[in-house]
Every structure is written in structure tokens, then in C-alpha cells.
Amino acid sequence: MVVECHAPGGDLAVSQGVLARTVDALSIPADVASQLDTLRRKAEEPGWWQDYGDILSEAVQMLIELETDASWIRTYEGEVIPGLLQTRDYAERVITAVSPHIRVSDIDRYLELRMKRQKRLREGQRLTAIVGEAAIRQQVGGPAILCEQLRHITRVVREHDVTVQIVPFTADAHAALGDSFVIIQWPDEADPEAIYVDGVTSWTVHERDGVIRSYLHAFGSVQSQALPARESLDLIHDVIKDLR
């Protein structure tokens, strides 16, 4: 049996009374009923990101909601440093370039939101990021900003449960070419992963087994072409030296 509890604004909110009657009717064990009630109450609580609802797209709200409870995030980005690893200065340049019509008054709020998303890494969330070499070489914001961005990556890898692997320019073709995506996994390994794919004009969250298997294959394919973690950090250090 699967019981879904949705946050306000969703299709369905499970009240305490409805849940109690369901527990009685189905003779659900007390420990399971307690877990369901915890989920129900949690679903009624607004997420912290809802404070930014006036500037967030539905896609980004969905991604943050999925990230919040995740235990392990795997991501592939070919040309840009992943958001969870971006410094404020690098993020500002990316945001203003991608969204040229953004209101100046909203830029600080977007940056604040992006920095808040990174809090879960400091709380022990695991991150595996596969990044194309182009992302660590393109001088987004100029040499100084990129240099500090790369130093930040080395610090995060050293201090948290974060692995970064670089796909070098010399790598062969792989199943993730031209794509970028996030694989989100929750603490209960029995729960299936979710795949978040965000493009310029559309976004999708995949939860079907067949699609998940395809993206897990793509991630394994690109990871097989990436440098090992230690060699990736060596390459990052080489780029930092070149930027000085």
C-alpha cells in the first residue's frame, strides 16, 4: 500500500481523521501508522523554499523539494559547475547570463536561495558530481571568479561527503553526451530514485523504472569516461595554477 501526503497546493491533503479511519479500516500496525502520521504532518508544513515562491519556477521548486530529503545526489553537468557546488560570485554570473531579464532586486534572493540549497551538504548529504572539463576551464565571471570557484570545489570535497570527477576533453563518447540531469536517492533504499532533467525550455521529473534505468546507465557510462576523483582534483589544481 502507498499513501501519499501532499503539501498545500497539491492535489490532496490527508487529514488526521482520514488517516485514523484508514489505519483502523486496514488494520495498519502502530509503528507504520506512526510513520504515516509523521509524513502527514510534515506534508502540512510549508517548505523553507516557499518563501521564494514568487521568483521560483515550478521546475526549481520541484528540484529543491526532491533535494531536501535526499541522502545521495548524483549529477552530471557538461558545461557548468553544478548549482550545489557554485560560489556566490560564480552563481551570480550564471544566473544573470541565463536569465537576462531578471529583475535586479531579485538577484540577491536567487543567490540566497542557491546558497541555502547547499546547506544539506554540510549536514552530511552525499553528492557525486560528474563535470565536463569545459566547466572547469570556461572563465565564467573572469579568471579570478573561476579560480575561487575551483578552490571552493577542492574545499567542499575535502570537508564533506562530496566526490567530483572530471570528464576530460580526451574522453570517448558516452551515453550522457549533450545532456544534464540529477539522480536523487532517499535514505530508504527501497524507495526508487527520481530523475530530474532541466532544459532551456522544459523540465521533467522521471519516476518510471525504465526511464530511471536509462539514466542510471547514462550516469555509469559518463562516470566510466571520467577521471578518478584524485586525478580530477589534480586537474582542477592545474587549472587553478594556469589562472594565476
Side-chain angles (χ1 to χ4, degrees):
M1 180 188 69
V2 176
V3 176
E4 296 185 358
C5 298
H6 298 269
D11 297 328
L12 176 65
V14 179
S15 69
Q16 185 175 11
V18 168
L19 180 59
R21 290 193 294 273
T22 302
V23 167
D24 289 341
L26 299 178
S27 300
I28 296 174
D31 58 336
V32 176
S34 177
Q35 293 176 11
L36 291 173
D37 189 54
T38 298
L39 289 173
R40 180 194 64 78
R41 286 185 282 107
K42 185 175 181 180
E44 292 179 343
E45 299 172 359
W48 61 264
W49 58 90
Q50 293 184 15
D51 290 340
Y52 302 87
D54 59 313
I55 62 170
L56 287 183
S57 65
E58 184 181 358
V60 176
Q61 289 192 58
M62 174 64 76
L63 175 60
I64 296 173
E65 184 172 357
L66 292 172
E67 285 178 347
T68 298
D69 294 324
S71 59
W72 184 18
I73 293 176
R74 284 167 283 179
T75 182
Y76 169 64
E77 288 279 0
E79 299 180 348
V80 181
I81 303 298
L84 291 175
L85 294 174
Q86 291 178 4
T87 64
R88 187 180 180 92
D89 286 341
Y90 183 97
E92 181 174 7
R93 186 67 194 103
V94 171
I95 289 170
T96 54
V98 173
S99 305
H101 303 298
I102 188 173
R103 294 184 302 179
V104 174
S105 59
D106 287 336
I107 292 176
D108 282 343
R109 295 182 67 208
Y110 276 106
L111 294 171
E112 181 181 79
L113 174 71
R114 186 154 300 188
M115 297 304 104
K116 282 186 176 182
R117 285 175 55 201
Q118 300 175 6
K119 180 182 177 182
R120 290 285 287 116
L121 298 180
R122 299 191 293 275
E123 296 172 345
Q125 187 179 69
R126 182 182 178 190
L127 172 66
T128 301
I130 310 299
V131 182
E133 185 173 345
I136 66 169
R137 289 195 180 275
Q138 184 164 351
Q139 296 183 13
V140 172
I145 287 178
L146 178 60
C147 191
E148 178 52 34
Q149 171 63 72
L150 298 180
R151 289 196 184 103
H152 175 71
I153 290 175
T154 64
R155 288 193 296 269
V156 172
V157 169
R158 183 172 63 248
E159 297 172 3
H160 304 298
D161 191 4
V162 173
T163 300
V164 174
Q165 292 179 254
I166 306 300
V167 183
F169 287 139
T170 55
D172 198 354
H174 54 76
L177 275 176
D179 208 348
S180 63
F181 54 89
V182 181
I183 302 172
I184 300 168
Q185 183 171 320
W186 289 275
D188 187 346
E189 295 185 359
D191 290 337
E193 297 95 338
I195 310 297
Y196 176 88
V197 183
D198 195 3
V200 175
T201 59
S202 64
W203 63 278
T204 310
V205 174
H206 298 286
E207 296 182 288
R208 298 195 306 275
D209 289 345
V211 178
I212 290 173
R213 284 195 299 271
S214 295
Y215 276 98
L216 290 174
H217 166 72
F219 190 85
S221 174
V222 69
Q223 190 169 34
S224 72
Q225 295 292 330
L227 297 173
R230 181 67 259 174
E231 292 180 27
S232 295
L233 287 179
D234 289 342
L235 178 57
I236 290 174
H237 284 299
D238 288 342
V239 176
I240 291 173
K241 291 178 183 178
D242 291 342
L243 291 168
R244 291 174 181 168

